[in-house]
Amino acid sequence: MPRPAVQWANIFPKTKMSRLKRAIHGVASSYVALVATALYSLASIPVALHYLDKERFGLWALMTTLVGYLSLVDASMSGSAGRLLIDHKDHRDSGRYGSFVQTVSLVTVVQGLIVLVVGLVLAGLFAQLLAIPAGLHAEFIRLVHLQCAAVALGFATRIFYLILTAHQRMDMVNYIATLGLAVNFATQWLFFHFGFGVLSLAWGALAAALTLVICQWLACEVQGLFPERGAWGKASWAHFKEIFDFGKDLFLVAVGTQLIMASQTIVITRVLGLPVAAVWSVGLRVFTMVTQVIGRISDMSMSAFAEMMVRGELARLRERYQTMVTLTASLGGFAAVSFALCNSLFIPLWTHGKISWPAANDVLLGAWLMVLAISRCHISLVLLTKEIRFMRYVYFLEGLVFVTLSLLLARLGGLPAIIGCSVVCGTVFSGAYCTWRVSRYFNLPLREVAWGWLQPMPKMLALYLPVAILLWWTLTPLPGMVRLATHIVLAGSIGLGLFLRYGVPPALQKEILRRIPQRVYPVLRHVFAEPAS
């Protein structure tokens, strides 16, 4: 086929960037997408709560969690294919790359069909197993049907996303995701206005999925990331076996991750009821966005790290990876304290008093946030090595232990008990194991990776925590809005200043000072602890 007309190049300009520039652009664009996500949540939650009661909003939260479990039909084949594409991407003129792309496409189309069929056939059974009230059965079933259609469409066309990430074009992925959020919100609001109720949320998701598919295909085509003409090859059983062999190792990790990160809503619905599930869904919105902000640093770096592995640049990999872990841990500490200061004050204002959220929950969530920030880096690196080994069982065991403890303790301890289980399980199982694996991969002492790399974080927290506690105690008599505004201003000034000065590694401070525009240099020069070299 001939390449597309010139006008598409104006939308997706074809540019050449170094690995570092791609990584920086990827991280920067990811924060654009996260700002869009934040705006979407800030706008969509009040709109949904305006049109829906707590039970129906809880129904939506439960349904999205359930469909997340249906995504396990992927069996981690997408993650496997995304990593293996990096091994082949430098040879787009070879039939092997084209054959690999076709094999992945065939696999994802079949997976999409499976998700669609399962959703259509088993929606009624899901409603019974989850004890959905009889009056909500019909709405829940229709929700599952529509959401499964959106997920199936995403599965069937996932190859476009995988190609973009393999070629480190996360900037395009993020900008397209931002557009998808805008389409999602506009569609939701339109359908709410015309009386579609809770189904409006599903129609918005379906419209967004269609937008992503079209734009990702255009981006791949204009950037020339598909195999060269005449070099497409054919779908290959050998490539399928390669994808499957790696994917089966990732599958138990994926199941464990789903149990750890997404089973809370199911446990809460079953034990505490749909209204509490709605409270949990709203209370965790800011937490989820904060974890995404922190995780973007590692997520946007992994394609570059995988390329270093493929090309044998191990010394550079260790240096860059250590810097990334140190920065991520420090950012996690800063974000955890700032989140605990603000979230319980923000939620009642955001929901106009319909939802209340105790501050004690935020303290526990802050601890979980720090655990997730560090373990996410190590887990991602272990997966890139393609040597999963015992980690598949560690993650699955962690998921089973978490669900069991949560079911036993939820009725006695409520939401704090569930969050506490997450903190303990994440530290004892996957966090500890993956830290050990990283130390073995780089042939370093475990203490150096587990503690030495994280030294800036406790230094920063030793200064920031007392300020935060004093701030909370002294401002308690003031109105909620005044307290929230004060907390945000001081967290954004004192907390951010401490993070930049003590949380950013000295080597990274120097590199930033060398690269920043001159007009910003004097400000950061006085904030950073290290002198410019």
Side-chain angles (χ1 to χ4, degrees):
M1 293 181 61
R3 291 298 179 192
V6 175
Q7 59 264 31
W8 290 118
N10 296 327
I11 301 175
F12 301 106
K14 189 172 183 178
T15 56
K16 291 185 178 180
M17 292 186 285
S18 67
R19 182 190 290 156
L20 179 60
K21 286 184 177 179
R22 286 198 300 266
I24 293 173
H25 198 185
V27 173
S29 64
S30 74
Y31 288 131
V32 172
L34 282 174
V35 169
T37 303
L39 293 174
Y40 168 80
S41 291
L42 287 171
S44 63
I45 295 297
V47 169
L49 288 173
H50 173 74
Y51 286 99
L52 305 174
D53 55 31
K54 273 190 182 181
E55 277 199 327
R56 283 176 171 78
F57 189 85
L59 196 69
W60 169 252
L62 175 63
M63 190 279 305
T64 53
T65 301
L66 177 63
V67 172
Y69 275 94
L70 287 180
S71 297
L72 291 174
V73 167
D74 177 49
S76 297
M77 300 286 273
S78 295
S80 171
R83 172 60 183 88
L84 294 171
L85 267 174
I86 297 173
D87 294 340
H88 303 293
K89 72 179 181 63
D90 290 338
H91 306 285
R92 292 198 292 274
D93 57 345
S94 71
R96 184 173 177 81
Y97 175 69
S99 174
F100 196 88
V101 169
Q102 290 208 59
T103 304
V104 175
S105 301
L106 182 61
V107 170
T108 57
V109 167
V110 172
Q111 290 172 339
L113 290 173
I114 292 173
V115 169
L116 184 60
V117 171
V118 169
L120 293 176
V121 173
L122 299 182
L125 178 61
F126 295 152
Q128 294 177 6
L129 292 177
L130 295 170
I132 303 298
L136 298 176
H137 267 217
E139 288 176 280
F140 178 77
I141 290 171
R142 288 196 294 271
L143 272 176
V144 173
H145 289 170
L146 286 172
Q147 189 68 16
C148 283
V151 173
L153 178 61
F155 262 114
T157 57
R158 188 167 290 185
I159 185 61
F160 306 138
Y161 166 81
L162 295 175
I163 289 174
L164 287 170
T165 55
H167 289 274
Q168 300 175 43
R169 293 317 307 257
M170 295 304 300
D171 53 329
M172 291 188 171
V173 171
N174 291 323
Y175 293 137
I176 292 169
T178 301
L179 176 62
L181 286 171
V183 171
N184 194 338
F185 180 72
T187 306
Q188 283 182 24
W189 204 342
L190 182 66
F191 276 71
F192 271 133
H193 178 73
F194 285 103
F196 283 79
V198 71
L199 296 179
S200 305
L201 298 166
W203 281 112
L206 189 58
L210 184 60
T211 301
L212 295 181
V213 169
I214 294 171
C215 292
Q216 287 174 358
W217 170 78
L218 285 173
C220 290
E221 185 68 20
V222 173
Q223 290 293 308
L225 303 183
F226 289 128
E228 296 292 336
R229 189 182 308 171
W232 277 87
K234 296 180 180 180
S236 163
W237 177 257
H239 285 319
F240 173 78
K241 189 174 184 301
E242 183 182 13
I243 297 168
F244 179 78
D245 286 343
F246 185 32
K248 66 179 172 53
D249 289 337
L250 295 176
F251 180 63
L252 284 179
V253 175
V255 174
T257 301
Q258 193 71 16
L259 289 171
I260 296 161
M261 299 302 299
S263 60
Q264 290 91 345
T265 305
I266 293 176
V267 172
I268 292 167
T269 301
R270 187 71 187 178
V271 178
L272 303 176
L274 275 173
V276 181
V279 171
W280 172 262
S281 175
V282 174
L284 240 66
R285 287 304 175 102
V286 176
F287 174 84
T288 301
M289 285 189 285
V290 172
T291 57
Q292 289 174 348
V293 169
I294 300 168
R296 282 299 191 271
I297 298 175
S298 61
D299 291 350
M300 299 301 111
S301 304
M302 287 303 153
S303 292
F305 290 160
E307 188 174 89
M308 293 178 195
M309 289 180 180
V310 171
R311 297 179 180 178
E313 302 170 5
L314 296 183
R316 176 174 291 183
L317 172 62
R318 174 185 164 179
E319 176 188 350
R320 294 293 185 186
Y321 179 74
Q322 179 180 344
T323 300
M324 187 268 292
V325 171
T326 304
L327 179 65
T328 300
S330 298
L331 182 60
F334 161 66
V337 177
S338 302
F339 169 81
L341 274 175
C342 300
N343 191 54
S344 63
L345 299 173
F346 170 70
I347 288 174
L349 296 174
W350 182 32
T351 60
H352 303 288
K354 293 182 179 179
I355 302 291
S356 61
W357 185 257
N361 289 351
D362 292 332
V363 174
L364 291 169
L365 285 174
W368 191 24
L369 185 65
M370 289 188 285
V371 172
L372 289 175
I374 300 167
S375 62
R376 185 170 182 165
C377 298
H378 296 330
I379 291 163
S380 298
L381 186 78
V382 173
L383 295 178
L384 288 184
T385 66
K386 299 188 292 186
E387 297 180 4
I388 309 303
R389 300 177 190 168
F390 194 70
M391 191 172 88
R392 65 175 75 92
Y393 306 116
V394 169
Y395 244 86
F396 188 65
L397 179 62
E398 178 181 342
L400 290 179
V401 171
F402 167 74
V403 171
T404 302
L405 286 178
S406 296
L407 287 170
L408 292 174
L409 299 177
R411 198 174 297 278
L412 295 175
L415 299 183
I418 294 175
I419 303 170
C421 290
S422 299
V423 176
V424 172
C425 291
T427 303
V428 172
F429 290 95
S430 58
Y433 176 78
C434 290
T435 302
W436 174 75
R437 282 290 306 273
V438 169
S439 71
R440 293 295 299 269
Y441 181 78
F442 289 115
N443 196 25
L444 295 171
L446 177 61
R447 180 179 175 82
E448 181 176 347
V449 177
W451 180 245
W453 286 7
L454 309 183
Q455 282 304 293
M457 181 181 70
K459 291 179 183 177
M460 180 200 63
L461 288 178
L463 297 171
Y464 190 25
L465 264 177
V467 174
I469 294 171
L470 180 63
L471 182 66
W472 182 274
W473 180 67
T474 55
L475 297 183
T476 298
L478 297 179
M481 183 174 293
V482 176
R483 292 178 65 197
L484 177 61
T486 307
H487 288 183
I488 291 174
V489 170
L490 293 181
S493 55
I494 297 174
L496 182 60
L498 292 172
F499 163 69
L500 291 173
R501 186 170 183 82
Y502 299 105
V504 178
L508 184 57
Q509 290 183 0
K510 293 179 180 179
E511 186 169 350
I512 291 173
L513 288 174
R514 286 198 302 269
R515 295 177 180 273
I516 59 172
Q518 285 300 313
R519 62 180 178 275
V520 184
Y521 180 89
V523 177
L524 283 183
R525 175 67 186 82
H526 288 90
V527 172
F528 284 157
E530 289 295 316
S533 57

